[in-house]
Amino acid sequence: MLIQELRLSQFRCHHQFSARFSSHLNLIVGNNGRGKTALLEAIYYVSRLRSFRTATTRELIEHSKKQFAIRLFTETDKLAIDWSPEEKKIFLNDNPVKPIDFLHHFICVALTSQDKELCGGGSSERRKFISSILIQLDQQNLIFFLNYQKVLKHRNALLRQINFDKILFESLTHQLEKLGKPLQQAHQQLARRIGKIATIFYKHLSKNSETLDWQYTPTSWNVSFEEEKQYKRTLIGFHRDQIVLRLNQKPMAAYGSEGQHRTAAVALKLAEIYLLRHRFKKNPIILVDDIFGELDDDRCTALLNLLHPDFQIFITSTNLDWLKSKLKNFQKLEL
């Protein structure tokens, strides 16, 4: 599915915006603050019903306005979203639909500077990354995941109480295990697949000079009630699984350079593209938000070579000169 046209109203810094796009390569150029990233964010929002920049949808509304609207046209469909803090309306070909029936009507993957958070610090971002792919591969996983979060929230609330219903607590523990153990197994299996694919992509990006992998350690489901009561939170469940990204068998968070972190993040996102393409037998739309300035020339060239020529790609940049020397047959949109 290819994007033909995007229209925005009161979205970020775009009071009114409309543009048509090439079916292959679209370069969006302009100075900082002109709303280049916002265009990619709007496309991503239509695919995932969330932003890749913020968890607070209200921030997507133009300053001092009360709502935003997105209209996205593909070769077969019209996708529309009207959002305000009071109400979210979603339409497919002018017919109102539920979010679950709208999600991922087309698939896209965003490569952004924020992706480097996948490589540093704790395991939280890496768990979210795996969960995101798992939900895309099978939307039924979204229902399981949301139910798991509800049970987890309720169980944590009970653990913070001085006196509570032990029968209810045991029931919630059983529900958490019933939902969580299959999800944990699915996360482990998917993590192995992502790791193998990302290793191959990292070798291409680094010209075989380094080896990337990650180590997945599942959390035990055998934790004493006394310990959980002491910490006043749930200590069991896949949401506590540990994932250590490694470079040449050493933890990347401690030993990786800034450039290596960025390269590893790109390799993981390329793995996501590969998995989605393999699963749906069609190309995801690729959003590349001004990341070429964060990679050296060799790795930028390697990344461009790895992007399949049949993809519809949107690239933002403040500088077109470098890209013009590497790319052909592109459509330029200047903001």
Side-chain angles (χ1 to χ4, degrees):
M1 184 174 291
L2 300 175
I3 296 172
Q4 294 184 334
E5 184 178 358
L6 176 68
R7 299 176 188 170
L8 302 178
S9 176
Q10 299 177 174
F11 186 91
R12 290 287 193 184
C13 64
H14 297 287
H15 182 66
Q16 296 291 331
F17 172 88
S18 177
R20 296 185 65 84
F21 299 111
S22 162
S23 61
H24 176 44
L25 186 57
N26 299 272
L27 300 186
I28 304 169
V29 297
N31 294 329
N32 292 328
R34 298 293 295 172
K36 302 185 299 297
T37 298
L39 301 187
L40 304 194
E41 192 177 16
I43 294 171
Y44 190 89
Y45 192 89
V46 174
S47 176
R48 310 275 189 101
L49 294 181
R50 63 182 179 88
S51 165
F52 60 73
R53 296 170 70 189
T54 176
T56 307
T57 305
R58 184 190 295 266
E59 294 179 8
L60 305 181
I61 302 174
E62 183 185 9
H63 179 66
S64 78
K65 304 301 181 183
K66 296 182 179 180
Q67 62 184 24
F68 70 76
I70 307 174
R71 300 291 183 269
L72 189 147
F73 300 84
T74 71
E75 69 269 45
T76 57
D77 295 310
K78 174 185 176 183
L79 309 170
I81 298 173
D82 295 323
W83 194 96
S84 71
E86 293 76 31
E87 187 176 23
K88 177 168 64 178
K89 297 179 181 179
I90 305 172
F91 302 91
L92 175 59
N93 297 323
D94 296 321
N95 297 313
V97 293
K98 297 178 181 179
I100 193 67
D101 298 321
F102 186 86
L103 271 171
H104 309 134
H105 194 71
F106 68 91
I107 52 175
C108 74
V109 177
L111 286 73
T112 78
S113 59
Q114 293 173 303
D115 294 337
K116 63 185 177 182
E117 295 176 9
L118 287 169
C119 305
S123 299
S124 175
E125 289 301 320
R126 293 182 283 279
R127 286 195 301 265
K128 290 177 184 178
F129 175 65
I130 296 172
S131 294
S132 173
I133 298 176
L134 195 65
I135 290 168
Q136 290 179 82
L137 294 175
D138 186 348
Q139 288 191 35
Q140 189 66 30
N141 288 323
L142 175 60
I143 298 173
F144 296 149
F145 187 78
L146 291 175
N147 288 338
Y148 178 89
Q149 293 294 331
K150 289 178 183 177
V151 175
L152 177 63
K153 183 178 180 180
H154 195 174
R155 194 174 185 273
N156 279 334
L158 273 181
L159 284 167
R160 289 191 292 269
Q161 297 177 11
I162 297 175
N163 298 307
F164 61 83
D165 187 338
K166 271 201 161 185
I167 295 177
L168 175 58
F169 181 78
E170 290 172 0
S171 174
L172 290 172
T173 301
H174 175 73
Q175 292 178 53
L176 196 72
E177 291 181 356
K178 185 177 180 180
L179 291 164
K181 286 183 177 180
L183 282 172
Q184 186 178 59
Q185 185 178 21
H187 275 74
Q188 284 183 267
Q189 292 173 346
L190 182 57
R192 283 195 291 269
R193 293 180 66 193
I194 295 170
K196 289 178 181 178
I197 300 167
T199 296
I200 296 170
F201 281 126
Y202 192 93
K203 285 183 177 180
H204 281 290
L205 292 167
S206 65
K207 293 186 175 180
N208 294 313
S209 62
E210 300 158 342
T211 301
L212 178 77
D213 71 330
W214 60 13
Q215 184 177 25
Y216 192 110
T217 305
T219 297
S220 172
W221 290 86
N222 297 316
V223 176
S224 70
F225 165 74
E226 289 74 18
E227 188 175 358
E228 288 192 307
K229 190 62 178 171
Q230 178 186 351
Y231 286 96
K232 297 182 180 180
R233 66 176 183 269
T234 297
L235 301 179
I236 59 174
F238 79 89
H239 65 284
R240 296 181 59 83
D241 291 353
Q242 298 301 302
I243 310 166
V244 178
L245 197 63
R246 302 187 301 184
L247 187 65
N248 299 328
Q249 300 297 308
K250 295 181 179 180
M252 176 167 277
Y255 295 96
S257 68
E258 189 75 10
Q260 288 168 328
H261 280 216
R262 289 165 176 162
T263 305
V266 170
L268 289 170
K269 283 306 187 84
L270 288 172
E272 179 181 3
I273 293 169
Y274 176 90
L275 286 168
L276 292 175
R277 187 168 185 250
H278 180 75
R279 165 67 176 83
F280 295 106
K281 309 302 180 187
K282 62 181 180 180
N283 296 325
I285 290 164
I286 311 300
L287 312 175
V288 185
D289 186 30
D290 206 14
I291 66 170
F292 290 103
E294 302 178 342
L295 301 169
D296 61 41
D297 188 77
D298 287 342
R299 298 189 187 209
C300 286
T301 302
L303 171 58
L304 290 172
N305 290 337
L306 286 171
L307 292 175
H308 197 277
D310 293 336
F311 288 135
Q312 186 180 31
I313 305 172
F314 297 81
I315 299 176
T316 66
S317 179
T318 55
N319 185 357
L320 187 61
D321 294 338
W322 183 88
L323 287 172
K324 284 174 67 175
S325 67
K326 302 290 182 181
L327 302 173
K328 297 179 180 179
N329 302 320
F330 59 84
Q331 176 176 310
K332 183 179 77 169
L333 172 63
E334 191 162 358
L335 298 181

